[in-house]
Amino acid sequence: MPPPPWSTASEPDSPATAEKRRQLEAHEWVLSKVYDDAGHEQAGWRMSGMDGGPAMRMGFYRHGNVTARVCNFISLDYALAGNDGMQMVGRMQTMAACSVQGLMDLEARVGRQLPQVRRYALTTGADAVPRLELRFADGSRWELEGRAKPPRP
């Protein structure tokens, strides 16, 4: 059976895909845990950012854009397919120096990993916090928590 077609924001969404896109766009997503392909939690991905908040945050926006913020911004286009397929393609990245030790390395890892996303899942935890899981081609996965979305910079 062929894979389902990718749905970009420039194409009409099915009702189910439109609802998932709305849920993605409704929150700022903060990285909470990273697991390798064997399911072991990986250290070094959660750091404090330059503003004292979490270092890695993502926002999904209309027109199929997703922005990851570490020290700088990584802007990608995203598309959804079927119930849980996702792909991201990089568009641009700012490259100013980061004043917090380790953020440039984290930013480089985030920039390499995001284009490898293949699947996603949206859930709500027992604490009523929205959660986003991203699964990557290498078998690793990220868990992100949804927070109220600040205005777009």
Side-chain angles (χ1 to χ4, degrees):
M1 176 185 331
W6 292 102
S7 173
T8 64
S10 62
E11 302 166 351
D13 285 331
S14 70
T17 300
E19 175 58 20
K20 288 178 181 181
R21 194 179 299 278
R22 186 198 65 73
Q23 290 175 21
L24 288 167
E25 293 174 4
H27 300 92
E28 175 182 60
W29 299 97
V30 176
L31 187 64
S32 61
K33 294 182 182 177
V34 173
Y35 296 92
D36 66 14
D37 61 341
H40 300 110
E41 190 169 352
Q42 299 298 291
W45 285 85
R46 290 188 58 198
M47 303 174 69
S48 291
M50 290 179 32
D51 62 0
M56 210 308 268
R57 307 172 212 186
M58 293 176 58
F60 291 80
Y61 299 94
R62 292 174 43 145
H63 310 295
N65 179 252
V66 59
T67 301
R69 179 176 176 213
V70 180
C71 170
N72 294 283
F73 290 92
I74 302 167
S75 179
L76 305 105
D77 291 320
Y78 79 98
L80 306 176
N83 291 329
D84 64 354
M86 180 184 283
Q87 68 179 15
M88 293 184 188
V89 178
R91 293 189 336 175
M92 69 102 182
Q93 181 172 352
T94 59
M95 293 297 295
C98 302
S99 62
V100 175
Q101 183 69 19
L103 284 183
M104 290 296 286
D105 291 337
L106 175 62
E107 186 168 270
R109 287 186 287 156
V110 168
R112 286 190 303 270
Q113 193 69 11
L114 285 175
Q116 305 305 315
V117 71
R118 297 296 179 263
R119 303 180 99 60
Y120 75 104
L122 288 162
T123 59
T124 302
D127 54 4
V129 173
R131 302 203 192 290
L132 171 62
E133 181 181 84
L134 298 178
R135 292 193 171 261
F136 298 92
D138 64 4
S140 65
R141 66 185 168 92
W142 291 1
E143 292 180 1
L144 300 101
E145 293 183 356
R147 297 188 179 173
K149 193 177 212 177
R152 188 172 185 181

